Amino acid sequence: MNVGIDKLAFFVPNTFVDMTDLALARDVDPAKFHIGIGQDEMAVNPTTQDIITFATNAAAPLLSEEDKKAIDMVIVGTESSVDESKASAVVVHDLLGIQPFARSIEMKEACYSATAGLALACDHVRLNPDVKVLVIASDIAKYGLNTGGEPTQGAGSVAMLVSANPRILKLNNDNVALTQDIYDFWRPFGQAYPSVDGQFSNATYINAFAQIWEEYERRTSLSFEDFAALAFHTPYTKMGKKALMPMLEKKKPQNADELMVQFENGIVYNRRVGNLYTGSLYLSLISLLENGELAAGNRIGLFSYGSGTVAEFFSGELVEGYEQQLRKVEHQSMLDARKRLNIAEYEVMFEEKLDLNHNKTFDDPTPYSVSEILDNHRLYKK
């Protein structure tokens, strides 16, 4: 029985910063952002939009009434939780109107956890072929104004509906994971922004891909030449390239040039959005499918990475007619319709925070958004 991704979509807030504007404001050569890290635009969210509204806005257009009846598990992968106890998935489940007899959980391991959620979803569907699982990666990447990490910020969500006989990507049972207790990125309780050892984090990512690829080759006897494309976790788009190129130089596959072309197709959207943490790999997958030239039966490799660290590599095969299930027009229209913030507007929006101690109402036209703070609760517009 085939199991995998049946439906797929992303959502980002309707405001962004152009990286040239940010570079000039920070007295940096714009090429450092556009070329050096490979970013052109950066999604920025108002306080009325959070991981719950991102998740719901991403998933809502995908789900039919039949889907909502068949979903018996909702999984949100995030490192931007709004509550230390209650899972964001519980609120998302309610906002989407999914049938009540479902399991709803939130998972955490830096940028990796949505991949664990996807693996759990596939295993669950293999045991229960008549059900579906909604997996959502939703995050806000913030490092602070005038910091080294500022140009690698972003915000948004990717929603994936997992089912038997999927119409987009059949996932293979070939996952290889790697865990290492390393402090390349961390955020203790009470700390507003992450602590990052930038160069060490880059090196750890590159090393993790090298280790996991060698193990994947050993276990599966597959090589780069068995893949039509590879998608990477992209905290900034140059990161995936830094990991891939040394391995291509070492292995020297005949399709190395094609893999690099497809890599570029897989970062078109990421260049315009920035870092989605848990969603970055899956935004890259959407970008690859909607901007690359691929065919049914092509094998795609996916490399997931979460600092701290957990990494995983796995593969899927495109299903006949997958193109008909994509949302390229909707996604590109959403990106093009966003408002470009000037730096003063961006800095004001960045510093704004919800005050849960005082009741207040809001009027955000986004389909799902925070509508009210009432008695220490976030209430959401349905």
Side-chain angles (χ1 to χ4, degrees):
M1 178 182 63
N2 294 333
V3 173
I5 299 173
D6 186 62
K7 297 182 180 181
L8 185 64
F10 75 88
F11 175 85
V12 294
N14 59 357
T15 47
F16 74 97
V17 169
D18 184 275
M19 298 305 282
T20 294
D21 295 342
L22 183 64
L24 296 176
R26 303 295 183 249
D27 197 25
V28 172
D29 181 351
K32 183 176 181 180
F33 294 166
H34 292 288
I35 300 173
I37 64 172
Q39 295 300 140
D40 298 325
E41 298 171 357
M42 182 175 76
V44 181
N45 64 294
T47 57
T48 49
Q49 296 177 33
D50 58 21
I51 62 165
I52 290 171
T53 69
F54 297 161
T56 313
N57 281 300
L62 295 181
L63 304 182
S64 66
E65 290 305 312
E66 289 72 23
D67 291 331
K68 295 175 185 180
K69 293 175 183 177
I71 292 170
D72 76 342
M73 190 185 303
V74 179
I75 303 171
V76 173
T78 186
E79 58 176 287
S80 312
S81 184
V82 299
D83 192 288
E84 298 290 2
S85 176
K86 184 174 183 176
S88 55
V90 172
V91 185
V92 172
H93 168 275
D94 175 64
L95 291 173
L96 291 172
I98 292 169
Q99 63 88 18
F101 299 101
R103 178 183 294 131
S104 297
I105 59 172
E106 185 175 293
M107 306 182 78
K108 182 183 77 175
E109 169 30 48
C111 302
Y112 163 78
S113 61
T115 298
L118 185 59
L120 173 60
C122 288
D123 288 345
H124 182 69
V125 172
R126 288 186 181 104
L127 292 173
N128 306 276
D130 294 331
V131 307
K132 300 179 182 181
V133 179
L134 179 61
V135 179
I136 305 175
S138 194
D139 266 306
I140 300 170
K142 297 182 78 169
Y143 295 94
L145 301 175
N146 286 286
T147 63
E150 185 180 26
T152 65
Q153 298 177 141
S157 181
V158 176
M160 299 173 278
L161 187 65
V162 176
S163 73
N165 302 312
R167 292 175 292 175
I168 295 178
L169 189 68
K170 174 182 76 72
L171 292 174
N172 298 315
N173 189 23
D174 60 357
N175 304 49
V176 176
L178 172 72
T179 295
Q180 304 174 106
D181 185 11
I182 293 174
Y183 276 88
D184 60 330
F185 174 109
W186 66 101
R187 182 160 67 91
F189 289 129
Q191 187 171 303
Y193 306 125
S195 297
V196 185
D197 186 336
Q199 292 301 316
F200 182 46
S201 186
N202 290 345
T204 303
Y205 178 111
I206 293 167
N207 181 260
F209 178 67
Q211 287 189 72
I212 218 164
W213 178 259
E214 296 287 4
E215 180 66 12
Y216 182 83
E217 277 192 334
R218 188 189 69 80
R219 292 189 190 184
T220 65
S221 298
L222 297 174
S223 70
F224 284 120
E225 292 176 350
D226 293 297
F227 290 82
L230 301 171
F232 283 74
H233 166 59
T234 51
Y236 56 92
T237 64
K238 209 64 172 293
M239 186 70 257
K241 185 179 293 186
K242 289 180 178 180
L244 177 59
M245 290 183 69
M247 293 304 293
L248 293 181
E249 291 171 3
K250 177 180 179 180
K251 301 292 183 177
K252 296 181 171 52
Q254 293 184 356
N255 63 336
D257 290 344
E258 177 60 22
L259 290 177
M260 292 307 304
V261 169
Q262 296 293 9
F263 176 87
E264 295 295 334
N265 292 330
I267 59 172
V268 171
Y269 294 157
N270 302 70
R271 292 186 69 98
R272 299 190 62 185
V273 173
N275 193 354
L276 295 193
Y277 283 163
T278 52
S280 293
L281 166 60
Y282 300 102
L283 179 62
S284 183
L285 173 61
I286 295 174
S287 182
L288 173 64
L289 298 184
E290 295 185 354
N291 296 288
E293 295 183 1
L294 297 167
N298 281 168
R299 182 188 294 267
I300 296 173
L302 298 99
F303 177 66
S304 182
Y305 178 83
S307 297
T309 66
V310 179
E312 189 161 332
F313 186 88
F314 59 106
S315 75
E317 295 171 22
L318 289 171
V319 176
E320 189 72 41
Y322 78 93
E323 306 96 329
Q324 300 170 25
Q325 308 306 319
L326 302 179
R327 302 177 60 82
K328 183 174 182 177
V329 172
E330 293 87 345
H331 289 150
Q332 293 189 344
S333 296
M334 175 175 58
L335 291 172
D336 293 342
R338 296 174 300 162
K339 175 186 175 182
R340 178 176 176 174
L341 300 174
N342 62 44
I343 298 304
E345 291 172 323
Y346 151 66
E347 291 180 344
V348 169
M349 186 177 289
F350 185 96
E351 296 288 8
E352 289 177 339
K353 294 178 175 60
L354 285 180
D355 182 358
L356 297 179
N357 296 315
H358 296 87
N359 295 346
K360 186 177 181 180
T361 59
F362 304 92
D363 185 22
D364 184 330
T366 308
Y368 295 91
S369 60
V370 177
S371 61
E372 186 176 6
I373 300 298
L374 180 64
D375 299 333
N376 201 237
H377 297 161
R378 296 178 186 228
L379 302 181
Y380 295 88
K381 179 179 69 176
K382 294 187 179 182

